[in-house]
Amino acid sequence: MPIYEYKCNNCGNCFEQLVFNSKEEKDITCSKCGGKKIKKVISSFSCLSQGGGSSLSGCSPKNGFS
Ligand SMILES: [Zn+2]
């Protein structure tokens, strides 16, 4: 499943988003503030992996609402 991580440039929120195609990607908004200034986070630079935690449930408050 093409799940990507994004970070909001407005509020700094990190979230995971299921993306089926690049067209849909343009319509992704921040799950926290609704802002559209988001950028894709490359997995090797994952914001969710900071802090040494082994879980991926870091700062994503709501998974599975898609
Ligand atoms: Zn935001």
Coordinates of all heavy atoms in Angstrom, one line a residue:
M1 N 0.8 -1.2 0.0 CA 0.0 0.0 0.0 C 0.9 1.2 0.0 O 1.8 1.3 0.8 CB -0.9 0.0 1.2 CG -1.9 -1.2 1.3 SD -3.1 -1.1 0.0 CE -4.3 -0.1 0.8
P2 N 0.6 2.2 -0.9 CA 1.4 3.4 -1.0 C 1.1 4.4 0.1 O 0.4 5.4 -0.1 CB 1.0 3.9 -2.4 CG -0.4 3.5 -2.6 CD -0.5 2.2 -1.8
I3 N 1.6 4.1 1.3 CA 1.4 5.1 2.3 C 2.7 5.9 2.5 O 3.8 5.4 2.6 CB 1.2 4.3 3.7 CG1 -0.1 3.5 3.6 CG2 1.1 5.3 4.8 CD1 -0.5 2.8 4.8
Y4 N 2.5 7.2 2.4 CA 3.7 8.1 2.5 C 3.5 9.0 3.7 O 2.4 9.2 4.2 CB 3.7 9.0 1.3 CG 4.0 8.2 0.0 CD1 2.9 8.1 -0.9 CD2 5.2 7.7 -0.3 CE1 3.1 7.4 -2.1 CE2 5.4 6.9 -1.5 CZ 4.3 6.8 -2.4 OH 4.5 6.1 -3.5
E5 N 4.6 9.5 4.2 CA 4.6 10.4 5.3 C 4.8 11.8 4.8 O 5.5 12.1 3.9 CB 5.8 10.1 6.3 CG 5.6 8.7 7.0 CD 6.8 8.4 7.9 OE1 7.6 9.3 8.2 OE2 6.9 7.3 8.2
Y6 N 4.0 12.7 5.4 CA 4.1 14.1 5.0 C 4.2 15.0 6.3 O 3.8 14.6 7.4 CB 2.8 14.5 4.3 CG 2.6 13.8 3.0 CD1 2.0 12.6 2.9 CD2 3.1 14.4 1.8 CE1 1.8 12.0 1.7 CE2 3.0 13.8 0.6 CZ 2.3 12.6 0.5 OH 2.2 12.0 -0.7
K7 N 4.8 16.1 6.1 CA 5.0 17.0 7.2 C 4.4 18.4 6.7 O 4.7 18.9 5.6 CB 6.5 17.2 7.5 CG 6.6 18.1 8.8 CD 8.1 18.1 9.2 CE 8.2 19.0 10.5 NZ 9.6 19.0 11.0
C8 N 3.6 19.0 7.6 CA 3.0 20.2 7.3 C 4.0 21.4 7.6 O 4.6 21.4 8.7 CB 1.7 20.4 8.2 SG 0.9 22.0 8.0
N9 N 4.1 22.3 6.6 CA 5.0 23.4 6.8 C 4.4 24.5 7.6 O 5.1 25.4 8.1 CB 5.4 24.0 5.4 CG 6.4 23.1 4.7 OD1 7.1 22.3 5.3 ND2 6.4 23.1 3.4
N10 N 3.1 24.4 7.8 CA 2.4 25.4 8.6 C 2.5 25.2 10.1 O 2.8 26.0 10.9 CB 0.9 25.4 8.1 CG 0.2 26.6 8.7 OD1 0.7 27.7 8.9 ND2 -1.1 26.4 9.1
C11 N 2.1 23.9 10.5 CA 2.1 23.7 11.9 C 3.1 22.6 12.4 O 3.2 22.3 13.5 CB 0.7 23.2 12.3 SG 0.2 21.6 11.7
G12 N 3.8 22.0 11.4 CA 4.8 21.0 11.7 C 4.2 19.6 12.0 O 5.0 18.8 12.4
N13 N 3.0 19.4 11.8 CA 2.4 18.2 12.0 C 2.9 17.1 11.0 O 3.0 17.3 9.8 CB 0.8 18.3 11.9 CG 0.1 17.0 12.1 OD1 0.5 16.2 13.0 ND2 -0.9 16.7 11.3
C14 N 3.2 15.9 11.6 CA 3.6 14.8 10.7 C 2.4 13.8 10.6 O 1.8 13.5 11.6 CB 4.8 14.1 11.3 SG 6.2 15.1 11.4
F15 N 2.1 13.3 9.4 CA 1.1 12.4 9.3 C 1.3 11.5 8.1 O 2.1 11.8 7.2 CB -0.3 13.1 9.1 CG -0.3 14.1 8.0 CD1 -0.9 13.7 6.8 CD2 0.2 15.3 8.1 CE1 -1.0 14.5 5.7 CE2 0.2 16.2 7.0 CZ -0.4 15.8 5.8
E16 N 0.6 10.3 8.2 CA 0.7 9.4 7.1 C -0.5 9.5 6.2 O -1.6 9.7 6.7 CB 0.8 7.9 7.7 CG 2.1 7.7 8.4 CD 2.2 6.3 9.0 OE1 1.1 5.7 9.2 OE2 3.3 5.9 9.3
Q17 N -0.3 9.3 4.9 CA -1.4 9.5 4.0 C -1.3 8.4 3.0 O -0.3 8.1 2.4 CB -1.4 10.8 3.4 CG -2.5 11.1 2.4 CD -3.8 11.2 3.1 OE1 -4.0 11.9 4.1 NE2 -4.8 10.6 2.5
L18 N -2.4 7.7 2.8 CA -2.5 6.7 1.7 C -2.7 7.5 0.4 O -3.7 8.2 0.2 CB -3.7 5.8 2.0 CG -3.8 4.5 1.2 CD1 -2.6 3.6 1.4 CD2 -5.1 3.8 1.5
V19 N -1.8 7.2 -0.6 CA -1.9 7.9 -1.8 C -1.9 6.9 -3.0 O -1.1 6.1 -3.1 CB -0.6 8.8 -2.0 CG1 -0.7 9.5 -3.4 CG2 -0.5 9.8 -0.9
F20 N -3.0 7.0 -3.7 CA -3.2 6.1 -4.8 C -2.6 6.6 -6.1 O -2.2 5.8 -7.0 CB -4.7 5.8 -5.0 CG -5.3 5.1 -3.9 CD1 -6.0 5.8 -2.9 CD2 -5.1 3.7 -3.7 CE1 -6.6 5.1 -1.9 CE2 -5.7 3.0 -2.7 CZ -6.4 3.7 -1.7
N21 N -2.5 7.9 -6.3 CA -1.9 8.4 -7.5 C -1.4 9.8 -7.3 O -1.8 10.5 -6.3 CB -2.9 8.4 -8.7 CG -4.2 9.1 -8.4 OD1 -4.1 10.3 -8.0 ND2 -5.3 8.4 -8.4
S22 N -0.6 10.3 -8.2 CA 0.1 11.6 -8.0 C -1.0 12.7 -8.0 O -0.8 13.8 -7.5 CB 1.2 11.8 -9.0 OG 0.6 11.7 -10.3
K23 N -2.0 12.5 -8.7 CA -3.1 13.5 -8.8 C -3.7 13.7 -7.5 O -4.0 14.9 -7.1 CB -4.1 13.1 -9.8 CG -5.1 14.2 -10.2 CD -6.0 13.7 -11.3 CE -7.0 14.8 -11.7 NZ -7.9 14.3 -12.8
E24 N -4.0 12.6 -6.8 CA -4.6 12.7 -5.5 C -3.6 13.4 -4.5 O -4.1 14.1 -3.5 CB -4.9 11.3 -5.0 CG -5.6 11.3 -3.6 CD -6.1 9.9 -3.3 OE1 -6.3 9.1 -4.2 OE2 -6.2 9.6 -2.1
E25 N -2.4 13.2 -4.7 CA -1.4 13.8 -3.8 C -1.5 15.3 -3.7 O -1.2 15.9 -2.6 CB 0.0 13.3 -4.3 CG 1.1 13.7 -3.3 CD 2.5 13.2 -3.8 OE1 2.7 13.0 -5.0 OE2 3.4 13.0 -2.9
K26 N -1.9 15.9 -4.8 CA -2.0 17.4 -4.8 C -3.1 17.9 -3.9 O -3.1 19.1 -3.5 CB -2.2 17.9 -6.2 CG -1.0 17.6 -7.1 CD -1.3 18.0 -8.5 CE -0.1 17.7 -9.5 NZ -0.4 18.1 -10.9
D27 N -4.0 17.0 -3.6 CA -5.2 17.4 -2.8 C -5.0 17.1 -1.3 O -5.9 17.3 -0.5 CB -6.4 16.8 -3.3 CG -6.8 17.2 -4.7 OD1 -6.5 18.4 -5.0 OD2 -7.3 16.5 -5.5
I28 N -3.8 16.6 -0.9 CA -3.6 16.2 0.5 C -3.5 17.5 1.3 O -2.8 18.4 0.9 CB -2.4 15.4 0.6 CG1 -2.6 14.1 -0.1 CG2 -2.1 15.1 2.1 CD1 -1.3 13.2 -0.2
T29 N -4.2 17.5 2.4 CA -4.1 18.6 3.3 C -3.7 18.1 4.7 O -3.8 16.9 5.0 CB -5.4 19.3 3.5 OG1 -6.4 18.4 3.9 CG2 -5.8 20.0 2.1
C30 N -3.1 18.9 5.5 CA -2.7 18.6 6.8 C -3.9 18.1 7.6 O -5.0 18.7 7.7 CB -2.1 19.8 7.5 SG -1.7 19.6 9.2
S31 N -3.6 17.0 8.3 CA -4.7 16.4 9.1 C -5.0 17.1 10.4 O -6.0 16.9 11.1 CB -4.3 14.9 9.5 OG -3.2 14.9 10.2
K32 N -4.2 18.1 10.7 CA -4.3 18.8 11.9 C -4.9 20.2 11.7 O -5.8 20.6 12.3 CB -2.9 18.9 12.6 CG -3.0 19.4 14.0 CD -1.6 19.3 14.7 CE -1.7 19.7 16.2 NZ -0.4 19.6 16.8
C33 N -4.3 21.0 10.8 CA -4.7 22.3 10.5 C -5.4 22.5 9.2 O -5.9 23.6 8.9 CB -3.5 23.3 10.7 SG -2.4 23.2 9.3
G34 N -5.3 21.5 8.3 CA -6.0 21.6 7.0 C -5.2 22.4 6.0 O -5.6 22.6 4.9
G35 N -3.9 22.7 6.4 CA -3.1 23.5 5.5 C -2.6 22.7 4.3 O -2.6 21.4 4.4
K36 N -2.3 23.3 3.2 CA -1.9 22.6 2.0 C -0.4 22.7 1.8 O 0.1 22.2 0.8 CB -2.6 23.2 0.8 CG -4.1 22.8 0.8 CD -4.8 23.2 -0.5 CE -6.2 22.7 -0.5 NZ -6.9 23.0 -1.8
K37 N 0.3 23.4 2.7 CA 1.7 23.5 2.5 C 2.4 22.3 3.2 O 2.9 22.4 4.3 CB 2.2 24.8 3.2 CG 1.8 26.0 2.4 CD 2.4 27.3 3.1 CE 2.0 28.5 2.3 NZ 2.5 29.8 2.9
I38 N 2.3 21.2 2.5 CA 2.9 20.0 3.0 C 4.0 19.5 2.1 O 4.1 19.8 0.9 CB 1.9 18.9 3.2 CG1 1.2 18.5 1.8 CG2 0.8 19.3 4.2 CD1 0.4 17.3 1.9
K39 N 4.9 18.7 2.7 CA 5.9 18.1 1.8 C 6.1 16.6 2.2 O 5.9 16.2 3.4 CB 7.3 18.8 2.0 CG 7.9 18.7 3.4 CD 9.2 19.4 3.4 CE 9.9 19.3 4.8 NZ 11.2 20.0 4.9
K40 N 6.5 15.9 1.2 CA 6.6 14.4 1.5 C 7.9 14.2 2.3 O 8.9 14.8 2.0 CB 6.7 13.7 0.1 CG 6.8 12.2 0.3 CD 6.9 11.5 -1.1 CE 5.7 11.7 -1.9 NZ 5.8 11.0 -3.2
V41 N 7.8 13.3 3.2 CA 9.0 13.0 4.0 C 9.5 11.7 3.6 O 8.8 10.7 3.5 CB 8.6 12.9 5.5 CG1 9.8 12.5 6.4 CG2 8.0 14.2 6.0
I42 N 10.8 11.7 3.1 CA 11.4 10.5 2.7 C 11.6 9.6 3.9 O 12.0 10.1 5.0 CB 12.8 10.8 2.0 CG1 12.6 11.8 0.9 CG2 13.4 9.5 1.5 CD1 11.7 11.4 -0.2
S43 N 11.4 8.3 3.8 CA 11.4 7.4 4.9 C 12.6 7.4 5.7 O 12.6 7.3 6.9 CB 11.0 6.0 4.4 OG 12.1 5.6 3.5
S44 N 13.8 7.6 5.0 CA 15.0 7.6 5.7 C 15.2 8.8 6.6 O 16.0 8.9 7.5 CB 16.2 7.5 4.8 OG 16.2 8.6 3.9
F45 N 14.3 9.8 6.4 CA 14.4 11.0 7.2 C 13.1 11.1 8.0 O 12.6 12.2 8.3 CB 14.5 12.3 6.3 CG 15.9 12.3 5.6 CD1 15.9 12.0 4.3 CD2 17.0 12.6 6.3 CE1 17.1 12.0 3.6 CE2 18.2 12.7 5.6 CZ 18.3 12.3 4.3
S46 N 12.5 10.0 8.2 CA 11.1 10.0 8.8 C 11.0 10.8 10.1 O 11.8 10.7 11.0 CB 10.7 8.6 9.1 OG 9.5 8.6 9.8
C47 N 10.1 11.7 10.1 CA 9.8 12.5 11.3 C 9.2 11.6 12.4 O 9.3 12.0 13.6 CB 8.9 13.7 11.0 SG 7.4 13.2 10.2
L48 N 8.7 10.5 12.0 CA 8.1 9.6 13.0 C 9.1 8.8 13.8 O 8.8 8.2 14.8 CB 7.0 8.7 12.3 CG 5.9 9.4 11.6 CD1 5.0 8.3 11.0 CD2 5.1 10.2 12.6
S49 N 10.3 8.7 13.2 CA 11.3 7.8 13.8 C 12.2 8.6 14.8 O 13.0 8.0 15.4 CB 12.1 7.1 12.8 OG 12.9 8.1 12.1
Q50 N 11.9 9.9 14.9 CA 12.8 10.6 15.8 C 12.4 10.3 17.3 O 11.3 9.9 17.6 CB 12.5 12.1 15.6 CG 13.1 12.6 14.3 CD 12.9 14.1 14.1 OE1 12.3 14.8 14.9 NE2 13.4 14.6 13.0
G51 N 13.4 10.4 18.1 CA 13.2 10.1 19.5 C 13.6 8.6 19.9 O 13.5 8.3 21.0
G52 N 14.0 7.9 18.9 CA 14.4 6.5 19.2 C 13.3 5.5 19.4 O 13.6 4.4 19.8
G53 N 12.1 5.9 19.2 CA 11.0 5.0 19.4 C 11.0 3.9 18.3 O 11.4 4.2 17.1
S54 N 10.6 2.8 18.6 CA 10.5 1.7 17.6 C 9.1 1.6 17.0 O 8.9 0.9 16.0 CB 10.8 0.4 18.3 OG 9.9 0.1 19.3
S55 N 8.2 2.4 17.5 CA 6.9 2.4 16.9 C 6.7 3.4 15.9 O 7.3 4.5 15.9 CB 5.8 2.6 18.0 OG 4.5 2.7 17.5
L56 N 5.8 3.2 14.9 CA 5.5 4.1 13.9 C 4.3 5.0 14.2 O 3.9 5.8 13.5 CB 5.2 3.4 12.5 CG 6.4 2.8 11.9 CD1 6.0 2.0 10.6 CD2 7.5 3.8 11.5
S57 N 3.8 4.8 15.4 CA 2.6 5.5 15.8 C 2.9 6.8 16.5 O 2.2 7.3 17.3 CB 1.7 4.6 16.7 OG 2.4 4.3 17.9
G58 N 4.1 7.3 16.3 CA 4.6 8.5 16.9 C 3.7 9.7 17.1 O 3.0 9.9 18.1
C59 N 3.6 10.5 16.0 CA 2.9 11.7 16.1 C 1.7 11.7 15.2 O 1.2 12.8 14.8 CB 3.8 12.9 15.9 SG 4.6 12.9 14.3
S60 N 1.3 10.6 14.8 CA 0.1 10.5 13.9 C -1.1 10.2 14.8 O -1.3 9.0 15.2 CB 0.3 9.4 12.9 OG -0.8 9.4 12.0
P61 N -1.9 11.2 15.1 CA -3.0 11.0 16.1 C -4.1 10.0 15.6 O -4.7 9.3 16.4 CB -3.6 12.4 16.3 CG -3.2 13.1 15.1 CD -1.9 12.5 14.6
K62 N -4.4 10.1 14.3 CA -5.5 9.3 13.8 C -5.0 8.5 12.6 O -4.9 9.1 11.5 CB -6.7 10.2 13.4 CG -7.4 10.8 14.6 CD -8.5 11.7 14.2 CE -9.2 12.3 15.4 NZ -10.4 13.1 15.0
N63 N -4.9 7.3 12.8 CA -4.6 6.4 11.6 C -5.8 5.7 11.2 O -6.7 5.4 12.1 CB -3.5 5.4 12.0 CG -2.1 6.0 12.0 OD1 -1.8 6.9 11.2 ND2 -1.3 5.5 12.9
G64 N -6.0 5.4 10.0 CA -7.1 4.5 9.6 C -8.3 5.3 9.3 O -9.4 4.6 9.1
F65 N -8.3 6.6 9.2 CA -9.5 7.3 8.9 C -9.8 7.4 7.4 O -10.8 7.9 6.9 CB -9.5 8.7 9.5 CG -8.5 9.6 8.9 CD1 -8.9 10.4 7.8 CD2 -7.3 9.7 9.4 CE1 -8.0 11.3 7.3 CE2 -6.3 10.5 8.8 CZ -6.7 11.3 7.7
S66 N -8.8 7.0 6.6 CA -8.9 7.0 5.2 C -9.8 6.0 4.7 O -10.2 6.0 3.5 CB -7.5 6.9 4.6 OG -7.0 5.6 4.9
Ligands
ZN1 ZN -0.7 21.6 9.7

